[in-house]
Amino acid sequence: MLRNGAAGGGGPAAGGAAGQRPVRVWCDGCYDMVHYGHSNQLRQARAMGDYLIVGVHTDEEIAKHKGPPVFTQEERYKMVQAIKWVDEIAPGAPYVTTLETLDKYNCDFCVHGDDITLTIDGKDTYEEVKTAGRYRECKRTQGVSTTDLVGRMLLMTKAHHSNIDEDLDYRKHTDNFGKGPKGHSPWTGVSQFLQTSQKIIQFASGKEPQPGDTIIYVAGAFDLFHIGHVDFLEKVHQLSERPYIIAGLHFDQYVSEVVIGAPYAVTADLLDHFRVTLVCHGMTEVVSDKDGSDPYEEPKRRGIFQLVDSGSNLTTDLIVQRIIKNRLEFEARNQKKEAKELAVLEAMKKLEEKH
């Protein structure tokens, strides 16, 4: 998901052959609480061309058309720029995508998911570029949405990152949080995200550690991935001229490889298996293992443990507090969004019936 020290997102994908002008692609959006769905959209968009520019809306524009954003615009700019498929960001992009904007950034076309984005008065924000034939569509990622993430925090359930079955409160939340008085919208509604090996491999770097690389191991839940995590990984990346960073994800990416379901304690077996030369942890509290032991006891014993200050004070707890503070506004935002989408669906249905 994140850059691995490189400035771009890889070699030419569609176009850009010798003698041809590189294909420039435009995406835009709020990119609030950046998640796998956002990253997957940008990955698909980048594959359609050679250079991807991502426009990010301001706080004022988002508040006007949707409701209050969770992250500030500066935080959202930084998160989007960190995604490895993004070549350039355009801060303060207008909420409605116009031909003027595409021409300003010399982009051939705009890419958006197969859902719909509406203005405050219920109009399609991509209508102009669609009419001009400068619009492309990619598949929306099912099972993950900002609506669901906000809903989890409003509910304050732990079911989404525990080993137990989802409790009744969470199931009730998934049934009702994104549901308006007239039913579910297929775009705003909450659904279950299912991970597959194919989805994972699309995000893998495919790079093996090379002789001379410094193999660095970091571990954590990386729950609600945010710029505090990005800042930490950037600082870790700067610890060596040739870093190869492995991120261990506890059950519930500047990285080169991911260990899924990593053990909470950094064991000798793990260190030896990946030939780890450095283990890093942020300035947050290290919670003891179930038996009361220090999960970093082994790397500390080997003298390869290092604390890294990310320079950011943003934590998942602070983000949750932002959500709770604006709870009523977020609930109203989701209901209004769903109502507009359902109105469009009804209009589309009537149009189809006429034909």
Side-chain angles (χ1 to χ4, degrees):
M1 170 180 165
L2 297 185
R3 299 181 185 278
N4 191 17
Q20 293 183 358
R21 184 182 70 81
V23 176
R24 292 168 65 89
V25 182
W26 172 269
C27 284
D28 57 27
C30 304
Y31 297 102
D32 196 22
M33 292 176 62
V34 170
H35 53 68
Y36 171 81
H38 295 124
S39 302
N40 198 30
Q41 181 227 359
L42 297 176
R43 178 188 66 81
Q44 294 178 80
R46 181 60 171 76
M48 296 182 189
D50 306 298
Y51 192 86
L52 176 61
I53 302 175
V54 180
V56 184
H57 308 320
T58 63
D59 295 344
E60 184 180 6
E61 280 279 86
I62 296 172
K64 174 184 175 183
H65 292 280
K66 292 183 71 174
V70 178
F71 287 95
T72 68
Q73 58 198 42
E74 294 302 325
E75 290 169 342
R76 290 182 288 107
Y77 297 157
K78 188 167 187 177
M79 276 297 297
V80 174
Q81 186 65 75
I83 297 173
K84 69 179 181 180
W85 295 285
V86 177
D87 295 294
E88 180 185 337
I89 68 163
Y95 197 80
V96 176
T97 308
T98 63
L99 294 174
E100 181 183 358
T101 299
L102 294 187
D103 291 340
K104 177 182 177 181
Y105 290 93
N106 197 25
C107 289
D108 297 270
F109 54 83
C110 166
V111 177
H112 186 65
D114 54 1
D115 55 343
I116 192 166
T117 304
L118 305 171
T119 64
I120 190 171
D121 53 0
K123 294 181 180 179
D124 183 354
T125 59
Y126 295 99
E127 183 177 351
E128 183 177 321
V129 292
K130 285 179 178 178
T131 303
R134 293 172 67 181
Y135 177 84
R136 303 288 185 275
E137 206 162 79
C138 64
K139 189 170 179 58
R140 181 179 181 271
T141 305
Q142 296 296 319
V144 59
S145 69
T146 303
T147 298
D148 188 27
L149 296 178
V150 170
R152 292 180 190 180
M153 285 181 281
L154 291 179
L155 185 67
M156 291 301 288
T157 179
K158 295 183 179 179
H160 68 285
H161 58 68
S162 68
N163 293 324
I164 61 172
D165 291 335
E166 291 181 346
D167 58 26
L168 291 175
D169 284 340
Y170 186 66
R171 282 202 290 269
K172 184 178 179 182
H173 146 67
T174 58
D175 286 341
N176 294 311
F177 181 72
K179 188 176 181 180
K182 295 184 179 180
H184 276 299
S185 159
W187 302 308
T188 295
V190 177
S191 59
Q192 177 66 42
F193 177 69
L194 298 174
Q195 186 57 278
T196 67
S197 59
Q198 183 60 36
K199 287 177 183 175
I200 294 172
I201 204 168
Q202 289 173 336
F203 282 76
S205 69
K207 296 178 181 178
E208 295 287 337
Q210 301 299 313
D213 286 354
T214 300
I215 300 178
I216 306 173
Y217 181 76
V218 298
F222 291 101
D223 194 19
L224 192 59
F225 198 82
H226 54 72
I227 61 168
H229 297 121
V230 172
D231 289 338
F232 168 70
L233 291 170
E234 278 186 329
K235 287 292 185 350
V236 172
H237 194 271
Q238 294 166 5
L239 294 176
S240 169
E241 289 187 11
R242 295 180 53 182
Y244 185 93
I245 301 174
I246 299 173
L249 299 184
H250 300 149
F251 272 129
D252 204 61
Q253 258 167 333
Y254 301 48
V255 302
S256 307
E257 181 63 286
V258 174
V259 179
I260 299 171
Y264 186 68
V266 182
T267 62
D269 285 345
L270 186 149
L271 296 175
D272 294 339
H273 177 81
F274 291 106
R275 302 191 300 279
V276 175
T277 51
L278 185 63
V279 175
C280 297
H281 187 271
M283 303 305 289
T284 56
E285 179 188 4
V286 176
V287 179
S288 299
D289 207 345
K290 289 181 179 179
D291 60 2
S293 64
D294 182 353
Y296 291 101
E297 182 179 341
E298 180 62 22
K300 286 178 179 178
R301 187 187 67 78
R302 297 188 184 195
I304 60 170
F305 178 78
Q306 183 173 335
L307 287 173
V308 175
D309 188 349
S310 70
S312 172
N313 63 357
L314 187 64
T315 64
T316 301
D317 286 343
L318 286 177
I319 297 168
V320 172
Q321 288 174 28
R322 292 183 187 181
I323 295 284
I324 294 172
K325 181 180 178 182
N326 295 295
R327 173 172 186 148
L328 293 178
E329 288 186 75
F330 283 120
E331 288 179 339
R333 177 187 75 172
N334 286 338
Q335 289 176 6
K336 286 179 182 178
K337 181 172 182 285
E338 183 119 17
K340 286 191 292 184
E341 291 171 354
L342 288 169
V344 170
L345 277 174
E346 187 65 26
M348 291 169 62
K349 184 179 178 181
K350 288 180 179 178
L351 191 62
E352 288 177 0
E353 289 174 351
K354 286 183 180 180
H355 294 282

